[in-house]
Amino acid sequence: MMSETIHIAIVEDDNEIRQTLTLIIDGSRGFSCKYAFPDGESALASVANLPVDVVLMDIDLPGKSGIEVTRQLKQECPEVDFIMLTVKSDDDSIFESLCVGASGYLLKDTSPADLLTHIKEVYEGGAPMSSQIARRIISSFRIINNPLSERETEILKMLSRGMNYKDVAEELFLSPHTVKTHIKNIYSKLHVKNRAEAIYKAIKQKLI
Amino acid sequence: MMSETIHIAIVEDDNEIRQTLTLIIDGSRGFSCKYAFPDGESALASVANLPVDVVLMDIDLPGKSGIEVTRQLKQECPEVDFIMLTVKSDDDSIFESLCVGASGYLLKDTSPADLLTHIKEVYEGGAPMSSQIARRIISSFRIINNPLSERETEILKMLSRGMNYKDVAEELFLSPHTVKTHIKNIYSKLHVKNRAEAIYKAIKQKLI
DNA sequence: GGGTCAATCGCCCATACGGGGTATTTATGG
DNA sequence: CCATAAATACCCCGTATGGGCGATTGACCC
């Protein structure tokens, strides 16, 4: 059985890391790495037109973040798999990476051997990530403390049905001022700035 | 270095499977399994008061489902880790399990040796799951489909991130007028009257 | 009994929003 | 070749929205 070559592109601003990774990958049987970009903009300009299977994407890029770049590239070429490479493993980065379509999330201290294994896993439909990172991901699913009160949840659901201050106030026998205050508190608790974002976040977190 | 014993409880309605698992686990060095329940109700009545580190929870239980039982138990004793054991690996089960607080999701054909390894992983803060299951999880973060035009979908997604006319217009190099027109068309197509309702409907219909 | 929090009500103010229009260009398809 | 759809751009206008404030009343908790 002949083994297929996996074509890889790298987006990484640190010259040394980028070159090292390129050499390691390109020098390994079954792997080819002919494309490396120092920033998101150049990757955006090229990747869609290249025969690439897997992209290794640094998160901390100058200019557009690796997450933003991944979001845009994934729209252009959804068949390409993205593995995020990063030093930081904070929940927001992980969560956002997966939301924009990344298939894996690895820390930069991953050994070269493991890296190749993980690239292969992604290529074959898996989702490589350390056990620790998997744990963080699954905790993001869980609403430990639903930050919203019952009243707030009730009102947010009404907003999602298209109701405005007045509608809600009338249905709940409240002053529109009160409704407005509740909504402002909802925004504050969800860290959003308007209805659209609030509804989106609330649904994604299964609050409504 | 002396190895600590991990205390395990099992919730599983099939007598044979339950007894087999109990014997395997309790007979292994470093593992203790003194508690086994044939249904969710009996587990709910006892687990919170037992010195248990990890619970193996069958999903298909008579009466309350293992997912529901996990949800309730996790509220009473959040420090206990739950591993779902199941024959089915459908997206909904996986997703729901993680939402209610399970730390791992394993298929029943997992070998005894692997099972012990995975219990240890959970106990040490990991989240064991097969690469395939991990992939299903992350794809649940991302879904695509479209009765709206591409441009409209694109704009709706941006709205769901809290952006306004001006923000969208700038990112897409469009006039705010154009963005507004697109949004009006979105409302018309979705038969909604504002953003909140549009976002809600679009998510429910998996348009964004 | 002081602290915290949810729920309620209020004001001011700038602007984002939604509804009503019209219009051009490009691409697609019958 | 003409109809249709999508994408683009602009106008007017009234109001809903969101931010920044403050305030009172009850629960509940330690």
Side-chain angles (χ1 to χ4, degrees):
Chain A
M1 192 190 300
M2 129 179 187
S3 68
E4 202 175 338
T5 298
I6 306 176
H7 297 273
I8 293 146
I10 294 177
V11 187
E12 162 68 62
D13 59 317
D14 184 299
N15 286 331
E16 197 169 322
I17 297 181
R18 187 176 66 250
Q19 284 161 20
T20 308
L21 282 176
T22 307
L23 288 175
I24 291 174
I25 295 171
D26 205 46
S28 302
R29 173 176 298 273
F31 298 87
S32 157
C33 183
K34 301 297 181 205
Y35 315 104
F37 307 92
D39 56 62
E41 288 71 14
S42 53
L44 280 171
S46 306
V47 170
N49 309 310
L50 299 174
V52 163
D53 301 308
V54 178
V55 175
L56 300 185
M57 177 76 66
D58 182 28
I59 287 192
D60 299 300
L61 293 173
K64 284 187 171 156
S65 85
I67 294 179
E68 179 56 25
V69 175
T70 301
R71 192 180 66 72
Q72 293 188 30
L73 278 178
K74 191 74 186 174
Q75 287 189 318
E76 290 179 53
C77 34
E79 75 289 355
V80 174
D81 287 317
F82 292 80
I83 297 177
M84 310 310 283
L85 273 185
T86 177
V87 283
K88 58 180 179 183
S89 68
D90 66 286
D91 288 0
D92 281 350
S93 294
I94 297 171
F95 189 79
E96 283 178 27
S97 297
L98 299 182
C99 284
V100 302
S103 297
Y105 193 102
L106 300 175
L107 298 181
K108 282 193 177 169
D109 61 9
T110 305
S111 75
D114 284 351
L115 181 60
L116 294 176
T117 308
H118 290 324
I119 291 173
K120 204 150 192 306
E121 272 180 59
V122 160
Y123 184 65
E124 287 165 354
M129 58 191 78
S130 79
S131 196
Q132 294 306 321
I133 285 183
R135 181 65 167 245
R136 281 163 177 271
I137 289 167
I138 66 158
S139 22
S140 75
F141 277 86
R142 185 178 158 66
I143 293 59
I144 302 146
N145 282 324
N146 182 332
L148 301 183
S149 71
E150 277 188 31
R151 199 52 146 177
E152 287 161 354
T153 305
E154 184 179 20
I155 291 176
L156 192 51
K157 282 180 186 170
M158 294 168 83
L159 293 186
S160 76
R161 296 205 300 276
M163 298 169 76
N164 61 17
Y165 292 148
K166 196 168 128 287
D167 295 336
V168 174
E170 281 170 9
E171 188 159 320
L172 297 180
F173 305 107
L174 292 177
S175 151
H177 294 295
T178 305
V179 175
K180 186 172 176 177
T181 302
H182 281 307
I183 293 175
K184 281 191 286 193
N185 290 335
I186 292 171
Y187 295 164
S188 159
K189 288 182 178 180
L190 294 183
H191 305 108
V192 299
K193 54 180 181 297
N194 56 40
R195 291 190 186 195
E197 201 180 357
I199 302 291
Y200 183 78
K201 205 156 184 173
I203 295 177
K204 289 303 170 193
Q205 296 185 14
K206 304 233 174 263
L207 303 181
I208 60 173
Chain B
M1 193 189 299
M2 132 179 182
S3 66
E4 202 176 338
T5 299
I6 305 176
H7 297 273
I8 293 148
I10 294 177
V11 187
E12 163 67 62
D13 61 316
D14 184 298
N15 286 331
E16 196 168 322
I17 297 181
R18 189 175 66 249
Q19 284 161 21
T20 307
L21 283 176
T22 307
L23 288 175
I24 290 174
I25 295 171
D26 204 46
S28 301
R29 173 177 296 275
F31 297 87
S32 158
C33 184
K34 300 299 180 202
Y35 316 103
F37 307 92
D39 55 60
E41 287 72 15
S42 54
L44 281 171
S46 306
V47 170
N49 309 311
L50 299 175
V52 164
D53 302 308
V54 178
V55 174
L56 300 185
M57 178 75 67
D58 182 29
I59 288 192
D60 299 301
L61 293 172
K64 284 185 171 161
S65 85
I67 293 178
E68 178 57 25
V69 175
T70 300
R71 193 182 63 73
Q72 293 187 32
L73 279 178
K74 192 74 185 176
Q75 287 189 316
E76 291 180 53
C77 34
E79 75 288 355
V80 174
D81 288 318
F82 292 80
I83 298 177
M84 310 310 282
L85 273 184
T86 177
V87 283
K88 57 179 180 182
S89 68
D90 65 286
D91 288 1
D92 282 350
S93 295
I94 298 172
F95 191 81
E96 283 178 26
S97 297
L98 300 183
C99 284
V100 300
S103 298
Y105 192 102
L106 299 175
L107 298 181
K108 282 193 177 169
D109 62 9
T110 305
S111 75
D114 284 350
L115 181 60
L116 294 176
T117 307
H118 289 325
I119 291 173
K120 203 151 192 307
E121 271 180 61
V122 160
Y123 184 65
E124 287 165 354
M129 60 188 79
S130 78
S131 193
Q132 294 307 319
I133 285 184
R135 183 64 169 239
R136 280 165 176 268
I137 289 168
I138 66 155
S139 32
S140 75
F141 277 85
R142 186 188 169 73
I143 293 164
I144 299 181
N145 215 342
N146 247 322
L148 301 178
S149 76
E150 277 188 31
R151 199 51 146 178
E152 287 160 354
T153 305
E154 183 179 22
I155 291 176
L156 192 51
K157 284 179 186 172
M158 294 167 83
L159 294 186
S160 76
R161 297 208 298 278
M163 298 170 75
N164 60 19
Y165 291 148
K166 196 167 129 287
D167 295 337
V168 174
E170 280 171 9
E171 186 158 321
L172 297 180
F173 305 107
L174 292 177
S175 151
H177 296 294
T178 305
V179 175
K180 188 172 175 178
T181 303
H182 281 305
I183 293 175
K184 282 191 287 192
N185 290 334
I186 292 171
Y187 295 164
S188 159
K189 287 186 180 179
L190 295 183
H191 305 107
V192 298
K193 55 181 179 298
N194 56 40
R195 291 188 184 197
E197 201 180 357
I199 301 291
Y200 182 78
K201 206 155 183 172
I203 294 177
K204 289 303 170 193
Q205 296 181 15
K206 304 209 181 284
L207 305 182
I208 60 173

